[in-house]
Amino acid sequence: MLSVEEAQREILGRVRVLPSERVDVLAALGRVLAEPIRSTRRIPPWPNSSMDGYAVRAADVRPSAILRVVGRVVAGSLPTRAVGAGEAVRIFTGAPLPSGADAVIPQEDVDARDGVIALRSAVEPGAYVRPAGEDVREGDLVLEPGRAIGAAEIGILATLGRTQVAVGRRPRVAVLSTGNELADLGTEPTPAQIPNSNTYALMAQVMETGGVPLNLGVVPDRLDAIAERISQGAEADVLVSSAGVSVGELDLVREALVNAGAELHLWKVDMRPGKPITFGSLGGKPVFGLPGNPVSAMVTFELFVRPMLLAMQGRRGTGRLTVRATALAPIVNRGSRRGYLRVVLEARDGRWDARLTGEQGSGILRSMVSADGLAVLRGDTAVAAGEDVEVIVLREVSP
Ligand code: AMP
Ligand code: MG
């Protein structure tokens, strides 16, 4: 039996990063940067004022000194004149500092009248002056490839004049659900059927991970039908199926994958939920056979498919935070497998508390609905109330 980390290493060892594509800068939000961003600009281009006030020579500024106001400069224009001894220039926030000046006195700190200002106290050179290049210098490596592009990255790209940027291509992921019992969305389940939820939860997980899902629908537990449907996913970069991977006589996904030409690497992974997962390559593309139980399908997607989809986009890291949280009530992991238990997180005094979402059955999809994270418990352990537990955070949590 492999540990989760061993299985993840096996999967990531087979990643082929997809080619990058150029997109408009705003469309890059949430994508993975695929090029190093070097600055060809200096920002700010010149020293400028961070206040409305007067540009002065710090050496002239003593309590009760009087300076002559000899000019005025606003943001969007250049100074027309230097500041000489005993002089000041009226200046506004963001305006370039006139030459000769090395400090700004905020307007509220002077008494202004009849073209002169009276000073009240000394000022340090550099006061209220934003130096040239304090944000970005020419030649700076501003963003490294492999990082997720957020709002601040978009802002910096705009600062650097980038209208377009190279990002990792979105993986196309074919999603297939197998099972005689499944009624697809839009049809009313017969008395012997249950609704297909995996297709939609998994497609949503694909989208959350930056991929583009391709719905292969529902296919009955028949070898030829499964193999035929798998071949319809050929244009995708990855295939993810759910159900039919255990040892029952109707568990045909592995055989169908082999019939379709896949080379399989099958594992029992030391985890719960999650039965053996099937992972393989079909024509050089990764294929996953996830377990059918809705919670197992989502948790195995989280732990195995998500890292691969991110790596295919060139992303470094999983983008998930792991926190230590204090158990509000006992959290018990039954059995010897590593447990991934669904918990609600609550913030208290800057720390996290965790409690189970309720019953942890792998068919209870509502345990995922209320889960902020997965508490990770080594085999046969119990975390007592008040003890700490490690939690993988799955989503934004509000305090
Ligand atoms: P299996 O792995 O085929 O044994 O399926 C395990 C359990 O998951 C069974 O109770 C199935 O009915 C259920 N299941 C399988 N596929 C889906 C699906 N697409 N949506 C909801 N439940 C499913
Ligand atoms: Mg089945």
Side-chain angles (χ1 to χ4, degrees):
M1 188 137 64
L2 292 186
S3 70
V4 167
E5 289 75 19
E6 285 166 335
Q8 286 169 335
R9 267 197 297 279
E10 290 275 353
I11 289 168
L12 289 179
R14 291 170 196 274
V15 166
R16 279 197 243 154
V17 179
L18 295 171
S20 62
E21 62 189 10
R22 294 183 73 75
V23 297
D24 287 349
V25 69
L26 197 54
L29 183 67
R31 307 285 296 269
V32 182
L33 183 63
E35 59 171 327
I37 301 293
R38 275 186 198 283
S39 172
T40 51
R41 287 182 171 166
R42 180 168 38 159
I43 303 294
W46 10 253
N48 70 99
S49 179
S50 67
M51 294 291 269
D52 290 347
Y54 296 87
V56 298
R57 296 151 63 115
D60 287 352
V61 181
R62 298 170 311 279
S64 78
I66 306 275
L67 300 180
R68 222 153 31 88
V69 180
V70 297
R72 170 188 160 94
V73 57
V74 299
S77 62
L78 291 171
T80 50
R81 168 182 207 306
V83 174
E87 295 179 344
V89 161
R90 182 82 170 110
I91 195 167
F92 297 90
T93 304
L97 204 67
S99 63
D102 60 359
V104 170
I105 308 181
Q107 59 192 32
E108 49 273 37
D109 293 352
V110 306
D111 299 311
R113 64 189 131 78
D114 302 335
V116 297
I117 51 172
L119 310 175
R120 298 185 207 128
S121 55
V123 64
E124 292 290 313
Y128 302 106
V129 174
R130 300 187 283 220
E134 75 165 0
D135 191 0
V136 182
R137 283 159 312 205
E138 277 169 86
D140 277 357
L141 177 60
V142 179
L143 300 172
E144 285 177 57
R147 70 184 292 141
I149 298 176
E153 283 79 4
I154 302 269
I156 276 286
L157 288 164
T159 288
L160 300 179
R162 299 291 304 253
T163 54
Q164 291 203 316
V165 65
V167 295
R169 179 159 77 64
R170 296 183 181 281
R172 290 184 293 262
V173 184
V175 176
L176 173 65
S177 286
T178 68
N180 291 333
E181 72 277 38
L182 300 177
D184 207 354
L185 192 58
T187 61
E188 199 49 33
T190 65
Q193 285 183 316
I194 60 154
N196 165 27
S197 62
N198 287 353
T199 292
Y200 302 95
L202 291 170
M203 289 203 300
Q205 284 180 294
V206 167
M207 292 165 75
E208 284 181 345
T209 316
V212 179
L214 187 83
N215 187 357
L216 292 185
V218 168
V219 64
D221 295 306
R222 267 195 357 254
L223 257 187
D224 55 339
I226 301 172
E228 198 264 331
R229 198 68 68 90
I230 286 169
S231 64
Q232 287 178 20
E235 69 197 81
D237 303 299
V238 180
L239 173 77
V240 176
S241 83
S242 67
V245 286
S246 3
V247 291
E249 56 187 88
L250 286 180
D251 292 326
L252 302 168
V253 168
R254 279 170 296 173
E255 203 180 330
L257 282 168
V258 170
N259 291 356
E263 178 203 342
L264 296 187
H265 329 289
L266 309 168
W267 304 308
K268 282 195 172 139
V269 181
D270 176 26
M271 64 179 290
R272 207 161 74 133
K275 287 182 196 169
I277 78 154
T278 293
F279 172 68
S281 350
L282 178 58
K285 292 173 186 176
V287 292
F288 291 88
L290 304 182
N293 279 303
V295 175
S296 312
M298 288 194 75
V299 171
T300 50
F301 183 104
E302 167 69 25
L303 295 176
F304 303 115
V305 186
R306 177 185 159 89
M308 166 155 264
L309 298 185
L310 292 177
M312 289 173 79
Q313 295 167 77
R315 172 88 179 255
R316 282 184 275 113
T318 63
R320 291 295 194 219
L321 206 60
T322 298
V323 299
R324 295 202 70 73
T326 307
L328 287 176
I331 299 178
V332 180
N333 185 39
R334 295 196 180 77
S336 59
R337 295 206 185 165
R338 168 117 44 107
Y340 288 87
L341 291 88
R342 275 76 69 207
V343 294
V344 176
L345 289 171
E346 281 160 24
R348 180 177 47 87
D349 304 334
R351 293 176 43 84
W352 292 109
D353 287 334
R355 61 183 165 77
L356 288 176
T357 54
E359 284 300 323
Q360 295 287 309
S362 58
I364 304 175
L365 190 50
R366 287 182 64 182
S367 71
M368 284 301 287
V369 173
S370 38
D372 297 313
L374 298 172
V376 185
L377 274 80
R378 317 288 142 172
D380 245 335
T381 47
V383 175
E387 284 179 3
D388 275 1
V389 63
E390 177 190 331
V391 178
I392 301 169
V393 182
L394 293 178
R395 63 183 179 198
E396 287 179 26
V397 248
S398 25

